[in-house]
Amino acid sequence: QVHLVESGGGLVQPGGSLRLSCAASGIIFRISTMAWYRQTPGKQRDLVAFITSGGTTNYADAVKGRFTISRDNAKNTVYLQMNSLKPEDTAVYYCKCGMDYWGQGTQVTVSS
């Protein structure tokens, strides 16, 4: 069974940082493209970043220069380092693998 488990969300002030983690099992992690999405109530779930099996990365324009996606194949884990957080970054962040399996999400709230 495929399991994706996100962690690392929380409440931070504007300008702060968080590091999200997604631990994967039930997939061949080393050959899987992994991605982070985010969603706010009543809005579309949008791609934040993805990383291919070869390490190629892409980012949404809204997070370029602030967020970094990375992976550790030995740990079957993908990370999202989020710096210079803005209130607009508030959302539930979801981990996804290339075969369209999703984690349960982790809440990120950026507020004073």
Side-chain angles (χ1 to χ4, degrees):
Q1 177 130 46
V2 175
H3 286 279
L4 302 174
V5 181
E6 301 96 335
S7 62
L11 174 64
V12 298
Q13 295 183 342
S17 297
L18 285 173
R19 191 191 195 199
L20 306 183
S21 298
C22 173
S25 62
I27 62 171
I28 307 175
F29 185 85
R30 65 178 179 83
I31 64 171
S32 298
T33 294
M34 304 297 297
W36 287 97
Y37 285 71
R38 65 186 182 184
Q39 186 173 27
T40 56
K43 297 183 180 178
Q44 181 178 330
R45 187 173 297 185
D46 293 325
L47 176 69
V48 176
F50 70 80
I51 183 166
T52 69
S53 61
T56 299
T57 59
N58 275 281
Y59 299 89
D61 288 342
V63 307
K64 285 181 179 177
R66 300 188 296 119
F67 291 10
T68 302
I69 189 171
S70 62
R71 65 193 296 159
D72 186 339
N73 289 345
K75 297 181 179 180
N76 285 3
T77 300
V78 62
Y79 304 95
L80 186 68
Q81 178 67 47
M82 305 185 295
N83 298 325
S84 301
L85 283 162
K86 305 175 181 179
E88 308 93 271
D89 296 318
T90 296
V92 177
Y93 284 72
Y94 296 91
C95 180
K96 186 184 80 72
C97 76
M99 294 185 68
D100 204 32
Y101 292 99
W102 297 85
Q104 292 181 323
T106 185
Q107 176 71 48
V108 172
T109 302
V110 186
S111 176
S112 299

